[in-house]
Amino acid sequence: MGDLMENTKDILNKAKSGKYAIPQFNINNLEWTRFVLEECEINNSPVILGVSEGAAKYMGGYNVVYAIVTSLIESLKIKIPVCLHLDHGSTFEACKNAIDAGFTSVMIDASKYDLDENIRITKEVVEYARLHDVTVEAEVGHVGGEEDGIAAEVAYAKVEDAVMLYKETNVDLFAPALGSVHGLYKGEPKLDFQRMKEISEKTNIPLVLHGGSGIPDDLIVKAIKSGICKININTELQISWHEAVKDFVKNNENAYDPRKVIKSGEANLKKSVTEKIKLLGSNNKA
Ligand code: 13P
């Protein structure tokens, strides 16, 4: 890990004791990364930049992502703590590649397997990550919705499974699936706050809420009170960016310069970033 970025678990442990949450904003390209970094800097908020395997592939690989993020931190003189996180790593190899490229944390998502196999794979990742001082997040139960174009059903995490996985692997962060989904909700999300609290008390590590888009503000606040320290937000930024881009394209049919098209969503995206930071309470925590 270079000097330009922070260890993810350090900023999350601080958030845990301060009772606020750090946003994980997923990034898709150079501009997205710049917009998010600039807006987090203005709000003096630490940030975790989330990169799915699909997004890393789209951007040209883990090394390219690392180069984009660290170059922007340097060139834009970004001072806030920035972490670079592999979102939903599906295999040991994906996590290893991200760690080798310089990511400060990885999520190993072996939640599609049974508990024993989830524990085995998570343990392997934790052992490798420890050698590089990299933070590891694991998932228990299964977050539903659509991620990287693949749809999945929600399976609520069991408290005993979470405790067992934690004891066996010594993982740093937990993403227990407790009713949130990736993408848009049909109706109000049914989050299990009681289980969230119990898992938080029994493991005492920072918890992660996936599917942070579209959850009403009061439920986000309640989740933070129940042990959530990292909230992943992707779809909501994409939608607010797209709203502005749609209007721009409609009113400027002949605008073919990609810089103008992509930039037309900048203000909207940045507005959503600030709203989320304020809701999570991570402003002025850098
Ligand atoms: P949303 O796209 O629903 O915000 O979920 C993001 C996420 O959880 C990434 O892991």
Side-chain angles (χ1 to χ4, degrees):
M1 191 189 310
D3 290 341
L4 289 168
M5 289 192 288
E6 303 268 332
N7 191 322
T8 310
K9 87 174 162 227
D10 292 348
I11 66 162
L12 288 173
N13 281 324
K14 252 191 228 166
K16 189 171 183 319
S17 19
K19 302 216 176 316
Y20 57 93
I22 306 285
Q24 172 189 305
F25 293 122
N26 284 52
I27 54 172
N28 300 289
N29 58 19
L30 171 80
E31 291 88 343
W32 214 270
T33 312
R34 179 169 71 74
F35 300 159
V36 169
L37 284 176
E38 284 175 346
E39 197 64 9
C40 291
E41 181 76 13
I42 286 176
N43 284 286
N44 200 24
S45 166
V47 65
I48 297 166
L49 301 175
V51 182
S52 64
E53 287 181 20
K57 195 167 164 202
Y58 175 79
M59 285 192 259
Y62 298 111
N63 290 321
V64 178
V65 176
Y66 179 83
I68 289 176
V69 170
T70 50
S71 307
L72 283 172
I73 292 173
E74 268 196 308
S75 302
L76 301 173
K77 300 191 182 4
I78 298 292
K79 298 282 179 292
I80 50 162
V82 178
C83 303
L84 180 56
H85 178 84
L86 172 64
D87 194 23
H88 293 282
S90 60
T91 57
F92 170 80
E93 284 68 32
C95 293
K96 181 180 180 298
N97 289 340
I99 293 169
D100 291 347
F103 280 46
T104 63
S105 47
V106 292
M107 172 187 192
I108 174 66
D109 179 359
S111 64
K112 61 175 180 284
Y113 300 110
D114 64 20
L115 185 63
D116 286 347
E117 186 62 0
N118 190 345
I119 289 174
R120 190 191 66 73
I121 300 173
T122 302
K123 218 172 178 171
E124 207 182 349
V125 173
V126 170
E127 276 164 18
Y128 189 73
R130 288 286 180 269
L131 304 174
H132 302 267
D133 199 21
V134 164
T135 298
V136 180
E137 174 183 331
E139 179 166 324
V140 223
H142 198 69
V143 176
E146 196 173 304
E147 180 77 350
D148 267 351
I150 299 164
E153 288 296 315
V154 187
Y156 281 69
K158 293 191 185 118
V159 177
E160 62 271 25
D161 287 2
V163 173
M164 171 85 97
L165 193 138
Y166 170 65
K167 282 197 177 143
E168 293 289 323
T169 63
N170 214 10
V171 74
D172 306 295
L173 317 172
F174 241 147
L178 293 170
S180 59
V181 301
H182 296 123
L184 297 174
Y185 289 88
K186 295 180 190 95
E188 175 133 328
K190 292 188 182 56
L191 302 182
D192 190 334
F193 293 105
Q194 186 49 39
R195 264 197 243 189
M196 211 179 267
K197 257 193 178 146
E198 236 180 286
I199 294 174
S200 170
E201 281 162 13
K202 291 192 169 154
T203 61
N204 203 25
I205 55 174
L207 300 186
V208 180
L209 182 65
H210 281 251
S213 298
I215 299 182
D217 290 1
D218 58 325
L219 299 191
I220 293 273
V221 170
K222 207 167 163 190
I224 297 171
K225 285 191 181 136
S226 310
I228 295 291
C229 305
K230 169 175 177 274
I231 302 187
N232 295 1
I233 301 144
N234 184 24
T235 307
E236 234 176 281
L237 294 196
Q238 294 184 339
I239 290 176
S240 63
W241 174 82
H242 183 233
E243 285 298 318
V245 172
K246 260 193 315 199
D247 277 353
F248 176 80
V249 172
K250 208 160 94 196
N251 297 320
N252 299 275
E253 273 186 14
N254 297 322
Y256 51 80
D257 182 340
R259 290 172 298 183
K260 291 192 176 140
V261 177
I262 296 173
K263 199 178 162 47
S264 65
E266 177 176 350
N268 253 24
L269 186 149
K270 285 183 163 175
K271 190 166 158 268
S272 297
V273 165
T274 286
E275 281 167 8
K276 288 296 166 195
I277 287 174
K278 296 209 163 128
L279 176 63
L280 271 54
S282 64
N283 46 321
N284 297 320
K285 302 291 192 313

